[in-house]
Amino acid sequence: MGKLANIWAFIGRHKYLVTVGIFLLIIGVLDENSLIRRIAHKREIHQLNTEIERYRKQYEEDSKMLKEITSNKEALEKVAREKYLMKKENEDIFIFEEDK
């Protein structure tokens, strides 16, 4: 009974400190909307926003390329030669790769 009485006396003397500690424990770690989860969600939202921005830029570039290809035959030939390594008859292709 001595330990239980000491614990109860400590809680009685420091009831506000104990209450704040329990509150911080619940809010910081145990709650469904804890601070740890909020930080993880903010990080995930930031990563998804950067991914959205990257896809938006890629979409704009691809849309511009598509418009150029459909309207200009020389641009279509240029893309076919560069991306798909197509060639005209009696023509050789040399591919240079950079070491990464």
Side-chain angles (χ1 to χ4, degrees):
M1 275 302 203
K3 286 187 177 183
L4 187 59
N6 286 339
I7 293 172
W8 192 252
F10 179 78
I11 291 173
R13 280 189 304 248
H14 305 289
K15 57 187 166 202
Y16 297 114
L17 181 63
V18 171
T19 304
V20 169
I22 291 172
F23 176 74
L24 290 176
L25 179 69
I26 290 173
I27 295 298
V29 179
L30 300 176
D31 190 31
E32 185 177 312
N33 296 322
S34 68
L35 293 175
I36 296 170
R37 287 189 185 181
R38 284 181 183 248
I39 292 169
H41 289 314
K42 282 187 178 185
R43 187 176 339 129
E44 184 180 357
I45 287 171
H46 178 70
Q47 288 174 349
L48 291 174
N49 282 335
T50 56
E51 192 174 328
I52 286 171
E53 194 63 34
R54 183 172 49 105
Y55 284 132
R56 185 171 289 138
K57 287 179 184 177
Q58 183 179 355
Y59 172 76
E60 290 172 1
E61 290 172 6
D62 291 344
S63 296
K64 187 167 59 170
M65 180 70 77
L66 178 64
K67 185 182 277 187
E68 187 177 335
I69 287 173
T70 55
S71 65
N72 190 354
K73 187 176 179 183
E74 289 83 27
L76 176 64
E77 186 176 323
K78 178 182 175 188
V79 170
R81 286 171 174 250
E82 289 178 358
K83 280 194 173 183
Y84 302 108
L85 304 176
M86 295 182 171
K87 63 177 188 155
K88 292 182 180 180
E89 290 185 28
N90 298 329
E91 186 176 63
D92 294 329
I93 296 178
F94 297 99
I95 301 172
F96 298 101
E97 295 182 3
E98 294 182 21
D99 293 334
K100 293 184 179 179

